[in-house]
Amino acid sequence: MSRIGQAALGLVVVQATAHALVMRLTRMPGQEPYLASTAVVLMELIKLVVCTLVVLGTEPRPIATLWEKTVVEWQQTLKVGVPALCYVIQNNLIFVAATELDAPVFQVLYQFKLITTAFFSVLILNRSLTRQQWGAIGILAVGVMIVQTSSSSGSSEVEAKPISTKGMMAVGSACMLSGFAGVWFEMLLKQTGKHAASLWVRNVQLATFSLPLALGKLWLADRETVQELGFFSGYTSLVFLTIFMGSAGGLLVAVVVKYADNILKGFAASISAVVGTVISMLVPAFKFVPEPTFFVGGAVVFVAAYVYGTASTAAAAAATAKKLPTVTIREASVSPNPQ
C-alpha cells in the first residue's frame, strides 16, 4: 500500500471519529433541529464544487476533459451512476430494516457488509485473500457486533420485536448493495487504459447522480417543511462544521478506495467507531456509559486489524517473491590452452 493510502486511512479514522462526535453535538437536547436532507444536499454540492475546482487547477485541458469523460464517454458515466443508485436503494432498505428489527439485531446483522465487501472484492476485482485475511475480516465483524450491541443495550426495557422476515431480507439486501457499490466504485477509480479518469473527475461524475438524487429526496420528503421554515432552518456554526466535515470525509474515503481498498476502509471505519465511543465516555455532555462488553469488542476490533495487517504484509511479500526473476549464474568455461 502506498504512503498516500496509509495517510488517507489514518485521516479517515480521525475524520470519521470527529464527524460522528460533532454530529451528535448538533442533535443534543437544546439544539434547534435541522433537516438532514438539506445537509446531504449541501455535502454533495460541496464535493462537486471542490472536485470541479481541483480538475480546473490540475488538468491541462480541464473543460475538454470534463466534457469528454462525462458526456462523450457517457457509458462510463452511467457506470458511475450504478453505485449512486445502489446507495439510494440501500438507504431505503436500512430504514425498512431498522423499522422491522430491534436495534441490536439490526446492528449485528448489518456488520455482514464487511463480509460482502470482501466477497465482491474477490469476485469483481479478482483480489486474492488468504485464510488469515478472511479470518481477520470475520473477527472484525464479530468485534463490531459486540461494540454496537454494547453501545445500544440501554434500550432493553422496550419490548423486543419478533424476528421479521421482511427486516431480515432488507438488511441482507442492504449488506449486499453496500459491498457491491463500494467495490464497483473502487473498480472505476482504479481503471486503466483509455477510459481511465482521475479521482476528481470520477467524483464529478458521481455527483452528477448523487446531487439530483439528494435533491429529489428533499423534494419528496421535506419540501413542505423547507417552504414553511426555509432551507437553512436550524442551522448553526456547528451544523455547517458537520456538513464540511462530512464532505471532507466523502472525498477522503474516495482517496482510501483508490490508493488502498474497500476492505481497509471497513477496518478504518470500525476503529473510528471504537475510538469515538471511548471519547464519548470522556465527554460529560454525552452522559454515555457503555456496557463492559464494549471493551471486549473494542479489543477484538484492534486484534482483527493487527491480524489483517500482518497477513496482508506476508501476502504482499510472498507475491513480490514470486514476481522476482530467477537469475542463473553459469561458470565461465576456461580453455586449458589459452593463446
Side-chain angles (χ1 to χ4, degrees):
M1 182 173 51
S2 66
R3 291 184 178 180
I4 296 177
Q6 293 174 345
L9 279 170
L11 287 174
V12 162
V13 173
V14 175
Q15 181 276 334
T17 303
H19 185 222
L21 293 172
V22 173
M23 185 181 296
R24 187 170 181 179
L25 287 173
T26 66
R27 298 297 191 184
M28 293 286 290
Q31 294 288 333
E32 188 177 352
Y34 63 95
L35 291 174
S37 56
T38 61
V40 172
V41 169
L42 287 179
M43 283 192 287
E44 295 299 333
L45 181 61
I46 290 171
K47 287 190 286 186
L48 174 60
V49 171
V50 170
C51 291
T52 302
L53 290 175
V54 173
V55 171
L56 292 175
T58 56
E59 294 286 344
R61 297 167 55 247
I63 304 300
T65 298
L66 286 174
W67 176 263
E68 178 184 351
K69 295 297 181 183
T70 306
V71 180
V72 176
E73 298 181 7
W74 58 271
Q75 298 95 332
Q76 298 298 312
T77 303
L78 287 179
K79 289 182 180 180
V80 180
V82 171
L85 180 60
C86 286
Y87 286 133
V88 171
I89 300 173
Q90 175 194 340
N91 288 334
N92 284 278
L93 288 171
I94 289 174
F95 177 79
V96 173
T99 304
E100 293 287 330
L101 300 171
D102 281 327
V105 175
F106 167 73
Q107 290 168 344
V108 166
L109 294 177
Y110 193 52
Q111 300 317 313
F112 282 100
K113 65 182 180 179
L114 299 168
I115 309 296
T116 61
T117 298
F119 169 75
F120 283 114
S121 294
V122 173
L123 184 65
I124 297 176
L125 302 177
N126 294 320
R127 184 166 289 143
S128 178
L129 296 176
T130 65
R131 292 180 180 179
Q132 289 82 1
Q133 287 173 312
W134 277 112
I137 294 169
I139 294 171
L140 176 68
V142 172
V144 177
M145 290 176 191
I146 297 172
V147 168
Q148 294 286 358
T149 54
S150 64
S151 299
S152 63
S153 59
S155 60
S156 58
E157 297 178 1
V158 181
E159 184 179 353
K161 298 178 183 177
I163 298 297
S164 164
T165 302
K166 181 180 177 181
M168 296 282 287
M169 292 179 64
V171 74
S173 300
C175 290
M176 295 295 288
L177 285 173
S178 175
F180 173 76
V183 174
W184 183 271
F185 192 53
E186 179 180 348
M187 177 189 68
L188 294 174
L189 285 175
K190 295 178 177 178
Q191 191 174 30
T192 57
K194 66 176 183 178
H195 295 306
S198 71
L199 169 71
W200 310 106
V201 171
R202 286 292 186 228
N203 274 283
V204 170
Q205 292 175 320
L206 184 63
T208 60
F209 293 95
S210 57
L211 183 56
L213 289 171
L215 286 168
K217 183 179 180 181
L218 172 63
W219 174 259
L220 292 173
D222 298 315
R223 70 176 183 273
E224 294 180 357
T225 305
V226 171
Q227 289 170 351
E228 180 183 353
L229 301 177
F231 187 92
F232 296 102
S233 174
Y235 274 54
T236 62
S237 57
L238 206 58
V239 175
F240 279 109
L241 176 61
T242 301
I243 291 170
F244 281 110
M245 291 176 70
S247 300
L251 297 177
L252 269 175
V253 166
V255 174
V256 168
V257 170
K258 181 174 178 63
Y259 293 101
D261 57 56
N262 270 284
I263 298 175
L264 289 172
K265 182 195 75 175
F267 275 89
S270 301
I271 292 173
S272 71
V274 176
V275 175
T277 304
V278 171
I279 294 176
S280 296
M281 295 166 52
L282 304 177
V283 178
F286 290 154
K287 299 178 181 179
F288 177 73
V289 180
E291 294 293 319
T293 51
F294 163 78
F295 299 99
V296 177
V300 171
V301 167
F302 282 100
V303 168
Y306 174 79
V307 172
Y308 188 87
T310 304
S312 299
T313 302
T320 303
K322 288 182 180 179
K323 292 180 181 179
L324 291 176
T326 303
V327 179
T328 303
I329 302 176
R330 298 181 179 177
E331 295 183 1
S333 59
V334 180
S335 174
N337 299 312
Q339 294 181 354

